[in-house]
């Protein structure tokens, strides 16, 4: 669905630039937030969210601010999965 792909791309671009514009026209800061991408079926490859948050805290930091990206019924498309991988790689470089 091109509309879904466009929406997904816009969310990833907002996360990369550090803010997004809300429906009210306000800027919502995403700087320093973890983007957690919820997958319908992780098949054991996903790290449990609570474990990741608690590990971050145990390493001396505060609990991070998070933003959740929840996908459509039936899961993310292969193209969207690829976009997530690319966006994460670029953001962490």
């Amino acid at each position: 669905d091109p509309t879904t792909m466009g929406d997904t791309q816009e969310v990833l671009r907002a996360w990369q630039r550090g803010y997004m514009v809300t429906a009210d026209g306000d800027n919502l800061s995403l700087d320093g937030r973890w983007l957690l991408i919820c997958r319908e079926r992780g098949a054991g490859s996903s790290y449990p969210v609570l474990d990741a948050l608690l590990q971050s805290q145990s390493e001396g930091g505060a609990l991070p601010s998070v933003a959740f990206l929840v996908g459509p019924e039936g899961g993310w498309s292969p193209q969207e999965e690829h976009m997530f991988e690319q966006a994460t790689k670029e953001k962490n470089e």
Side-chain angles (χ1 to χ4, degrees), residues 3-26:
T3 305
T4 303
M5 283 291 285
D7 294 344
T8 303
Q9 289 173 326
E10 180 52 35
V11 168
L12 290 174
R13 280 194 294 272
W15 177 64
Q16 288 176 310
R17 72 176 171 257
Y19 72 93
M20 68 186 312
V21 179
T22 67
D24 297 332
D26 298 325

Side-chain angles (χ1 to χ4, degrees), residues 1-92:
D1 179 352
T3 305
T4 303
M5 283 291 285
D7 294 344
T8 303
Q9 289 173 326
E10 180 52 35
V11 168
L12 290 174
R13 280 194 294 272
W15 177 64
Q16 288 176 310
R17 72 176 171 257
Y19 72 93
M20 68 186 312
V21 179
T22 67
D24 297 332
D26 298 325
N27 284 341
L28 173 65
S29 174
L30 300 174
D31 242 4
R33 287 187 192 217
W34 287 12
L35 179 62
L36 301 178
I37 300 166
C38 300
R39 293 184 166 104
E40 189 172 60
R41 292 176 191 87
S45 63
S46 299
Y47 195 65
V49 172
L50 184 57
D51 290 348
L53 295 173
L54 293 175
Q55 179 179 348
S56 170
Q57 188 178 33
S58 72
E59 293 172 356
L63 283 174
S65 295
V66 298
F68 286 91
L69 189 54
V70 179
E73 183 70 30
W76 300 104
S77 71
Q79 295 87 357
E80 289 169 319
E81 291 280 355
H82 180 74
M83 284 190 317
F84 300 148
E85 296 300 323
Q86 290 301 113
T88 301
K89 188 184 310 181
E90 291 169 11
K91 179 82 172 180
N92 291 324

